[in-house]
Amino acid sequence: MDERILEFIGDLRRAELRISPSEAVDALAASAEVGLVDRETFKATLAATLVKESRDLETFERLFNLYFLDLEALGEGIKKALGPEDPRVQDLLDRLADEDGLELDDLTELLMRGEGSEMEMAIRAGGQNAGLERLMYFLQVGYFSRKIQDKFDWSAIERDIEKIMRMLEAKGLDPGQLARIRNYLELRLEAFNRMIRQHVERELERRAYRQGEKLTREVLSDKPLFALTPEEVAQMKNVVARLARKIKDALALRQRQEQKGRLDTRRTIRKSLSYGGVPMEVFLKRRHREKPKLITICDVSDSVRNASRFMLQLVWSLQECFSRVRSFVFVSEIAEVTQAFATYPVERGIEWALKAAPVDYHCRSDFGFAFSRFANSELESLDRKTTILLLGDARNNYNDPQAWALRLIRERVKGIIWLNPEGQWGWGIGDSVMPMYAPSCDLVRECRTIGQLGEVVDNLVHHWWRRGH
Amino acid sequence: MFDSVEDVQQRFKSARYIASRRISTVVYLSERMGRPVLIEGPAGVGKTELAKTLADITNRPLIRLQCYEGLDEGKALYEWKYAKQLLYTQLLKDRIGELIADAPSLPDAVARIAGQDDAFFSFRFLSQRPLLSAIQSEQPVVLLIDEIDKAEPEFEAFLLEVLSDFQVSVPELGTVKAKHIPLVVLTSNNARELSDGLKRRCLHLFIDFPAPAEELEIIRLKVPEISAKLASAVVAAVQKIRALELRKPPSVSESLDWARSLVILNAQTLDATLVESTLTMLVKYEKDLERVKGALDKVLAP
């Protein structure tokens, strides 16, 4: 049994559940404690020792049912599929065996009388050395089904069936009855073949469960954002949600760590008076550290729309861990969308920012104009705790870049981080004015794919908000 | 202590707690393997109650450690009673003076005082907090560490050390080893991710809202005065309300409160006015309340 459990753990790991060796050992020890009598208990035992995240329970449940087949239920299912068993035929076969010394191959015996569960066991045994571990794609199902079928000696069955028919004929059954009996036997044979195929399909599902999902995710992570289709954008949403979660966790942890600060002399001395001047209890000043402020400025022109979408999603999710998040979008006119983000749920907020914010979506992007307007209206509200996150391709359509505006902004804030959804090779070529803005930025990163967005987030979490304050 | 999983289930039931097969299995394993149980799930499904009932049916005292932000070792494990120590040294000043009166040199005097360390660093001056008392207890106990997700990650790391060896080292006194391995139950509302180490160490149990049949059983057991018809109407309504995507869906404790209040009101059946007037027992947020009121005919539909 231990091997079966270990193999099952392998399946779980393939489905991206993290299971440590010590947990595997626990599972073995625990299942030895409860035994295998009751399926539910056994399942609960494995779940308690192996699955430590409630969101993984569903995967566990599914794989458990595929791997530890409920033979009883399966047998019932097969019985139903075969139609009502014909007791008269069974009776007939019994009589033949008793009176006329009919001897059948083991396999035929199984086919004629076996319960579903026994048949399943036989198929499983046949599949042992069929190389099922190479089963990865749906197209292989037919091949492997045949391979398992080949393990059984079909000619013996054919011979047995012929033998039975001959004996019955000799007993003087009429052709109609004979045809019914032959039909019954062939039906069972066919069902057996179907079971083999179902077995292989189950094996495939068990092995490949969530593999496809993982594969798409990996491919999509490296696909340029502008090339993503709407369906792919939807698929990547939870990846961005995970990134946001990462930032949240890191910031929350950091704030807790930094609560203790320097000695609070006043309180310590005051308390020491009650101990005759001995500072028995020491008090530390709590450092009141304000949460970092964040301002995002997103280019929402058509060329970078997908990238903006992810950026806005990230920003929306971050609102609660920054004391102040303000979001702006621009094409050439710049507008604040913070209010909409605070009131709308994420989807609607993003749609609104991308389509309905008070900016002209049809003109050509003009970074210079947007920055100068921003500097004019918002400069007063910037301070040293503010980080500005900029997203845009810096393709200025040959307008005046007005780099002074960004320089001015930089002087008032903690830093400016520029994410460019265009490949680095294009910066400065044509109407790209990236090199003119770059000196005012603390960090300029290429952000063409979700993978790269992830790297930027890592960088922010581990270096940017950790450094100094 | 327990003969089998069925035995666990039976004893929980006789203590008026409906433990599903899953719950009983995990409790049984925890006792057999000496492992802590980590229970996760929405608020009000009986996580804490499980630990209390466990103490009840095993006849063990329950020691409870409620976690909160800022909980540290001093409040969870032990603390020296500084004031008492100080008071004693003051009171015993003369005795200490006598002790070192004829010491020939300063180092000698220091050595003599050092020899008396034990008098002041003993269990007499140690105030025991829940973890230490659970470990030190003469009789086996049930230790409930409630809402572990509210404490900081550092505390979790420290807890892990205690839970893996069931021993604690007090530098002045040495290592205190548990006389009996306590049954440990940790609960979490999932306010934050717990560390992998802690999860690995524990048996994991996720308690969700109960299935209709189970909830009916719980209500009939806890509110025996309720009529069978009303009980099943309550369960059906609660299950439907849970499906409404509320901010805080009603939990088992809330449906029990509701059932009790309906019994007090002497209700026989559920009708719209009755439900509307008692809805606050079930739903706690204004917005949720409106939502349920809006969908009332759907909730009450048979």
Side-chain angles (χ1 to χ4, degrees):
Chain A
M1 197 57 209
D2 283 2
E3 283 101 66
R4 301 277 331 259
I5 294 175
L6 288 175
E7 206 185 338
F8 176 60
I9 290 173
D11 283 356
L12 291 176
R13 285 191 176 132
R14 262 199 299 277
E16 300 194 300
L17 262 69
R18 275 193 308 180
I19 294 167
S20 71
S22 73
E23 283 166 323
V25 172
D26 282 352
L28 296 183
S31 53
E33 285 289 347
V34 297
L36 295 170
V37 191
D38 183 71
R39 192 177 133 94
E40 275 307 303
T41 311
F42 179 58
K43 185 154 105 182
T45 305
L46 290 189
T49 45
L50 296 175
V51 188
K52 306 291 167 87
E53 311 269 354
S54 44
R55 61 168 176 271
D56 288 337
L57 273 174
E58 201 184 322
T59 310
F60 170 83
E61 192 94 3
R62 193 163 171 78
L63 284 175
F64 182 88
N65 288 339
L66 283 171
Y67 193 84
F68 299 100
L69 288 176
D70 190 347
L71 287 180
E72 224 165 280
L74 193 77
E76 287 297 312
I78 289 166
K79 228 181 232 165
K80 227 175 259 166
L82 280 174
E85 226 166 274
D86 198 334
R88 278 175 303 173
V89 177
Q90 293 291 352
D91 212 38
L92 219 61
L93 289 177
D94 284 344
R95 257 193 310 182
L96 281 181
D98 287 347
E99 296 165 12
D100 303 87
L102 172 69
E103 281 200 17
L104 294 175
D105 193 78
D106 286 349
L107 188 60
T108 324
E109 193 82 28
L110 182 74
L111 274 180
M112 297 304 122
R113 308 159 191 275
E115 291 288 322
S117 52
E118 290 168 45
M119 289 160 100
E120 179 66 30
M121 292 313 283
I123 293 173
R124 200 171 264 198
Q128 277 307 312
N129 321 310
L132 278 179
E133 56 281 349
R134 278 181 289 122
L135 181 63
M136 233 36 231
Y137 308 101
F138 188 75
L139 287 175
Q140 293 169 304
V141 169
Y143 170 76
F144 280 104
S145 309
R146 263 198 308 286
K147 232 176 145 174
I148 296 180
Q149 279 165 4
D150 289 348
K151 300 250 164 182
F152 298 106
D153 188 2
W154 296 99
S155 57
I157 299 174
E158 295 287 336
R159 266 201 313 277
D160 280 345
I161 291 182
E162 289 311 317
K163 195 159 77 189
I164 293 170
M165 296 319 290
R166 265 201 314 278
M167 288 172 86
L168 289 174
E169 214 177 337
K171 280 189 165 286
L173 270 73
D174 68 62
Q177 273 175 314
L178 282 178
R180 226 188 55 236
I181 292 170
R182 180 179 277 277
N183 194 19
Y184 173 77
L185 294 175
E186 269 164 9
L187 240 139
R188 284 201 77 110
L189 202 64
E190 210 174 284
F192 187 65
N193 275 326
R194 222 171 25 238
M195 277 175 76
I196 292 179
R197 196 180 162 89
Q198 275 165 1
H199 172 73
V200 176
E201 278 171 7
R202 247 194 325 268
E203 283 290 299
L204 173 68
E205 187 176 354
R206 167 170 93 76
R207 270 160 221 286
Y209 188 56
R210 290 178 56 177
Q211 289 289 312
E213 202 181 304
K214 189 173 153 195
L215 205 67
T216 356
R217 202 167 60 231
E218 274 164 14
V219 172
L220 288 187
S221 282
D222 290 328
K223 195 169 172 186
L225 293 172
F226 64 83
L228 292 179
T229 64
E231 291 83 45
E232 288 169 339
V233 168
Q235 278 176 17
M236 293 316 281
K237 265 182 203 136
N238 27 17
V239 177
V240 177
R242 230 190 342 260
L243 288 179
R245 173 102 211 163
K246 200 169 181 178
I247 299 184
K248 273 184 207 169
D249 280 354
L251 285 179
L253 187 68
R254 204 183 53 109
Q255 263 161 10
R256 277 196 226 107
Q257 278 171 355
E258 286 171 357
Q259 265 172 4
K260 288 188 179 161
R262 295 211 313 270
L263 183 73
D264 185 343
T265 2
R266 198 181 56 80
R267 277 188 78 197
T268 306
I269 289 182
R270 188 160 181 189
K271 187 76 184 181
S272 78
L273 293 179
S274 59
Y275 296 116
V278 185
M280 292 303 289
E281 282 179 59
V282 174
F283 292 94
L284 297 176
K285 259 185 196 154
R286 283 206 151 195
R287 246 191 278 175
H288 287 287
R289 175 147 299 165
E290 287 186 44
K291 291 178 175 181
K293 291 185 181 178
L294 183 70
I295 292 182
T296 55
I297 305 178
C298 264
D299 180 2
V300 287
S301 62
D302 256 342
S303 53
V304 293
R305 181 156 284 192
N306 273 337
S308 309
R309 186 184 291 277
F310 289 126
M311 197 64 222
L312 290 170
Q313 190 197 338
L314 199 62
V315 172
W316 190 92
S317 330
L318 288 181
Q319 272 179 23
E320 59 190 85
C321 58
F322 290 86
S323 63
R324 194 81 216 265
V325 184
R326 299 178 67 193
S327 319
F328 293 84
V329 295
F330 70 94
V331 179
S332 82
E333 197 76 44
I334 188 163
E336 185 164 359
V337 295
T338 315
Q339 195 57 39
F341 271 28
T343 39
Y344 291 150
V346 58
E347 290 295 314
R348 236 177 108 200
I350 294 171
E351 282 312 308
W352 190 83
L354 287 178
K355 289 198 181 107
V359 295
D360 183 359
Y361 288 94
H362 301 293
C363 64
R364 290 158 173 269
S365 29
D366 182 347
F367 287 70
F369 182 71
F371 291 159
S372 65
R373 291 302 293 265
F374 183 79
N376 272 334
S377 59
E378 300 296 334
L379 208 56
E380 294 304 312
S381 64
L382 303 178
D383 59 34
R384 304 295 296 173
K385 278 178 292 218
T386 311
T387 302
I388 294 187
L389 211 52
L390 257 163
L391 185 118
D393 56 6
R395 294 234 161 245
N396 210 26
N397 297 303
Y398 302 104
N399 292 313
D400 178 8
Q402 310 199 47
W404 59 268
L406 199 63
R407 258 200 314 279
L408 204 62
I409 297 169
R410 172 65 189 92
E411 275 166 22
R412 304 289 299 248
V413 298
K414 174 173 151 63
I416 298 180
I417 297 165
W418 189 305
L419 306 181
N420 194 330
E422 188 184 62
Q424 203 158 358
W425 41 264
W427 299 358
I429 296 175
D431 59 348
S432 167
V433 288
M434 197 64 238
M436 307 193 64
Y437 290 136
S440 310
C441 303
D442 299 64
L443 200 66
V444 183
R445 278 296 152 88
E446 177 182 313
C447 191
R448 284 177 66 220
T449 65
I450 286 284
Q452 282 171 336
L453 184 60
E455 281 165 31
V456 172
V457 165
D458 267 341
N459 192 314
L460 290 182
V461 168
H462 293 300
H463 304 293
W464 184 254
W465 280 304
R466 185 156 289 178
R467 202 181 63 193
H469 52 121
Chain B
M1 185 191 329
F2 296 119
D3 302 331
S4 63
V5 179
E6 288 77 18
D7 181 35
V8 178
Q9 206 161 7
Q10 267 313 314
R11 278 158 79 168
F12 266 106
K13 188 156 187 192
S14 58
R16 312 212 315 151
Y17 186 100
I18 303 289
S20 68
R21 191 83 192 173
R22 246 163 16 90
I23 295 176
S24 327
T25 307
V26 175
V27 168
Y28 175 75
L29 282 174
S30 149
E31 193 266 322
R32 274 303 166 98
M33 300 172 71
R35 282 300 176 86
V37 183
L38 171 64
I39 311 180
E40 285 185 304
V45 289
K47 299 193 290 292
T48 308
E49 196 60 33
L50 175 68
K52 287 184 184 162
T53 318
L54 183 61
D56 214 24
I57 60 175
T58 51
N59 274 325
R60 293 177 170 202
L62 178 76
I63 296 180
R64 179 172 180 169
L65 173 65
Q66 176 68 45
C67 296
Y68 51 87
E69 204 168 325
L71 177 72
D72 57 17
E73 292 177 45
K75 287 167 194 142
L77 194 55
Y78 70 89
E79 216 167 11
W80 288 107
K81 296 173 184 163
Y82 293 115
K84 195 172 171 191
Q85 281 171 330
L86 204 68
L87 194 66
Y88 273 56
T89 47
Q90 290 294 320
L91 291 173
L92 298 173
K93 227 175 196 167
D94 298 343
R95 289 280 293 148
I96 295 169
E98 268 169 41
L99 192 71
I100 55 168
D102 56 343
S105 67
L106 204 56
D108 268 352
V110 171
R112 278 191 201 174
I113 293 180
Q116 307 298 317
D117 263 2
D118 289 354
F120 288 101
F121 288 102
S122 62
F123 279 105
R124 187 190 305 276
F125 294 103
L126 197 69
S127 90
Q128 295 189 3
R129 305 292 187 201
L131 284 182
L132 187 61
S133 41
I135 282 182
Q136 255 219 313
S137 162
E138 287 297 328
Q139 50 172 326
V141 297
V142 173
L143 173 63
L144 166 63
I145 302 173
D146 219 356
E147 304 193 321
I148 172 77
D149 51 330
K150 296 263 168 66
E152 275 105 67
E154 300 92 78
F155 179 73
E156 224 176 89
F158 152 78
L159 194 63
L160 186 62
E161 190 189 328
V162 178
L163 292 184
S164 49
D165 301 334
F166 293 106
Q167 62 177 32
V168 167
S169 77
V170 182
E172 294 85 351
L173 294 174
T175 306
V176 184
K177 213 169 162 47
K179 297 192 177 77
H180 311 276
I181 304 274
L183 284 174
V184 185
V185 176
L186 298 99
T187 75
S188 157
N189 283 330
N190 243 333
R192 69 177 168 83
E193 291 270 304
L194 299 177
S195 76
D196 283 348
L198 189 70
K199 282 183 180 164
R200 264 206 297 280
R201 181 67 209 157
C202 297
L203 297 173
H204 191 266
L205 177 62
F206 182 75
I207 306 185
D208 209 345
F209 296 124
E214 223 178 328
E215 187 158 33
L216 186 64
E217 206 179 342
I218 295 172
I219 290 183
R220 308 271 331 243
L221 191 72
K222 294 272 180 182
V223 194
E225 311 86 8
I226 199 166
S227 70
K229 201 171 137 211
L230 185 60
S232 30
V234 164
V235 170
V238 169
Q239 296 271 344
K240 274 180 202 146
I241 291 174
R242 268 184 208 142
L244 285 179
E245 281 184 33
L246 302 180
R247 183 164 161 206
K248 164 91 181 63
S251 188
V252 183
S253 54
E254 272 109 28
S255 50
L256 282 175
D257 286 346
W258 195 41
R260 279 194 197 104
S261 55
L262 288 175
V263 166
I264 292 170
L265 291 172
N266 221 347
Q268 296 304 320
T269 50
L270 285 180
D271 59 60
T273 39
L274 182 66
V275 174
E276 206 163 315
S277 58
T278 50
L279 206 55
T280 41
M281 305 293 304
L282 211 53
V283 193
K284 307 292 176 180
Y285 287 101
E286 198 58 40
K287 262 197 180 153
D288 288 355
L289 216 58
E290 274 163 35
R291 184 126 202 214
V292 177
K293 277 180 187 164
L296 216 50
D297 46 335
K298 219 162 71 193
V299 168
L300 289 174

